[in-house]
Amino acid sequence: MQPTNIHDVVADEFGQVNDYIVSQLKSEIPLIEQIGYYIISNGGKRLRPLMVLLSARAAQSANGLSETSLSNAVKMASIIEFIHTATLLHDDVVDESDMRRGKKTANEEWGNAPSVLVGDFLYTRAFQIMVDVGSFQCMEILSGTTNIISEGEVQQLINCGDPDTTEESYIKVIQYKTAKLFEGAALCGAVVAEASDIYQEALRQYGMYVGTAFQLIDDVMDYTSTAEEMGKSVGDDLAEGKPTLPLIFTMKHGTEETKQRVRSAIETGGLENLETILADVRDCGAIEYTEAEARKQSDLAIFAISILPDSPYKQALINLANAAVNRRT
């Protein structure tokens, strides 16, 4: 990612988001603050809150944002980050992960129960802030978003260990569990900016496409990046028996021996043949195919916002769509 030229156009607002997030982590229960600060401050690009700010600015670039709209955009960006962080806390428990962004996960550091409960705290705090914003439309969007994210996570759990998972089923899962929050971020940014329905729809589509591209590349990196680059162990998806697109493509286009090897690995969730499977995935064109699919999504995202007026904020959204595909961390 290139944070300059993307973050810079909303640097002041982004700083306000960071300050507001810290202020909303306060609790009478010290452990909540401790775990909350730990995971919130644990790196990350904060693309989703950035998308809220850029969408709000891009949707009203001609007239600018009112003071109230800007304040609500900052709060909405914080809400999105809280929801995202809550999903990370819960995901790491479900996946039994011990590393995220190069540091111990909260569940590894404090245990599963505190991680789940602090995730619940972040969810409920997000909805408290939503009431303060007072946008019924945003409440409707994000209540539906969190529900669909949960459905996506459950479906992914069902798909784990199933080598017969189709590409269509995989895409649906990543659109539910990952892209839906990107969609909600972009759409809510437009809503608090009081943008037209046409602009709201354009930014909703943009968020969904960028989120899908982001997850496709995330799944590629499990087979192409080092542990240091990813901040987690190589082959985590394989170890969990997740049939992601690189594996689905490999089973469809690899040799018979390759198909059986990958199939067995998904069914057992084992890493015994990790190096061989990594080579299988690379050799059969699965990486190139998945990257090409991500690029299609990125291009669709850029096309979706072509109706927005030209501005530094629209250009930053275009840069963000490209960066989602070109990133390697």
Side-chain angles (χ1 to χ4, degrees):
M1 299 292 295
Q2 297 295 327
T4 57
N5 82 349
I6 297 179
H7 287 76
D8 284 359
V9 294
V10 287
D12 290 344
E13 298 93 320
F14 202 74
Q16 292 175 45
V17 170
N18 289 333
D19 291 343
Y20 189 77
I21 285 173
V22 170
S23 74
Q24 293 301 308
L25 283 173
K26 295 190 183 304
S27 168
E28 294 180 358
I29 312 300
L31 185 59
I32 290 177
E33 289 192 4
Q34 190 177 5
I35 295 177
Y37 285 128
Y38 179 84
I39 188 166
I40 285 286
S41 63
N42 188 16
K45 305 171 187 69
R46 298 203 175 162
L47 297 183
R48 296 156 189 83
L50 176 63
M51 190 173 284
V52 174
L53 299 175
L54 290 175
S55 296
R57 285 294 196 186
Q60 283 291 359
S61 60
N63 301 321
L65 290 177
S66 68
E67 188 174 331
T68 299
S69 292
L70 179 57
S71 174
N72 285 340
V74 167
K75 291 176 182 177
M76 193 56 59
S78 305
I79 288 166
I80 293 292
E81 184 65 7
F82 274 13
I83 292 174
H84 174 56
T85 304
T87 65
L88 297 185
L89 282 164
H90 290 168
D91 287 354
D92 286 342
V93 171
V94 171
D95 295 339
E96 300 180 1
S97 301
D98 57 4
M99 294 289 290
R100 180 177 287 279
R101 299 167 183 161
K103 291 175 64 176
K104 287 183 179 180
T105 55
N107 51 295
E108 180 71 12
E109 189 75 17
W110 286 279
N112 288 342
S115 294
V116 170
L117 294 173
V118 172
D120 292 344
F121 170 84
L122 294 177
Y123 268 129
T124 54
R125 179 52 51 87
F127 279 86
Q128 284 180 318
I129 303 169
M130 224 178 294
V131 171
D132 186 44
V133 171
S135 169
F136 182 79
Q137 187 178 353
C138 285
M139 291 183 196
E140 185 177 30
I141 291 165
L142 291 183
S143 60
T145 294
T146 53
N147 188 260
I148 286 175
I149 289 171
S150 298
E151 288 184 333
E153 293 291 353
V154 173
Q155 186 59 56
Q156 179 174 259
L157 194 63
I158 293 170
N159 289 353
C160 280
D162 181 7
D164 294 318
T165 300
T166 63
E167 181 173 336
E168 292 72 24
S169 177
Y170 159 82
I171 292 295
K172 183 177 180 179
V173 165
I174 68 172
Q175 286 179 338
Y176 274 35
K177 78 179 191 70
T178 299
K180 195 65 182 177
L181 190 56
F182 280 88
E183 177 188 90
L187 179 54
C188 284
V191 169
V192 296
E194 300 179 352
S196 67
D197 290 346
I198 294 174
Y199 284 1
Q200 287 183 30
E201 175 60 17
L203 285 160
R204 184 199 67 77
Q205 291 183 28
Y206 169 87
M208 174 56 72
Y209 290 134
V210 170
T212 304
F214 182 89
Q215 187 60 56
L216 284 164
I217 295 301
D218 216 48
D219 291 344
V220 163
M221 291 193 301
D222 202 51
Y223 299 96
T224 59
S225 298
T226 64
E228 290 74 22
E229 288 172 328
M230 291 188 295
K232 63 177 185 176
S233 301
V234 175
D236 269 2
D237 288 347
L238 189 63
E240 295 161 17
K242 290 181 181 177
T244 59
L245 188 54
L247 292 181
I248 293 170
F249 184 92
T250 301
M251 283 188 290
K252 187 175 181 179
H253 296 277
T255 65
E256 192 59 38
E257 181 183 0
T258 294
K259 293 176 186 177
Q260 292 306 315
R261 183 163 43 239
V262 174
R263 188 178 187 86
S264 175
I266 291 174
E267 288 175 335
T268 61
L271 293 177
E272 292 80 8
N273 295 312
L274 175 60
E275 291 303 322
T276 305
I277 291 174
L278 289 176
D280 290 336
V281 169
R282 294 178 187 129
D283 292 345
C284 76
I287 300 304
E288 292 80 2
Y289 176 77
T290 308
E291 288 176 337
E293 291 301 302
R295 172 52 64 188
K296 288 179 186 177
Q297 296 292 317
S298 176
D299 290 343
L300 286 169
I302 293 169
F303 178 76
I305 59 171
S306 60
I307 65 170
L308 296 181
D310 291 337
S311 70
Y313 311 109
K314 176 182 176 180
Q315 186 58 52
L317 286 170
I318 292 170
N319 293 347
L320 178 56
N322 286 321
V325 176
N326 296 330
R327 70 194 181 94
R328 288 298 174 266
T329 61

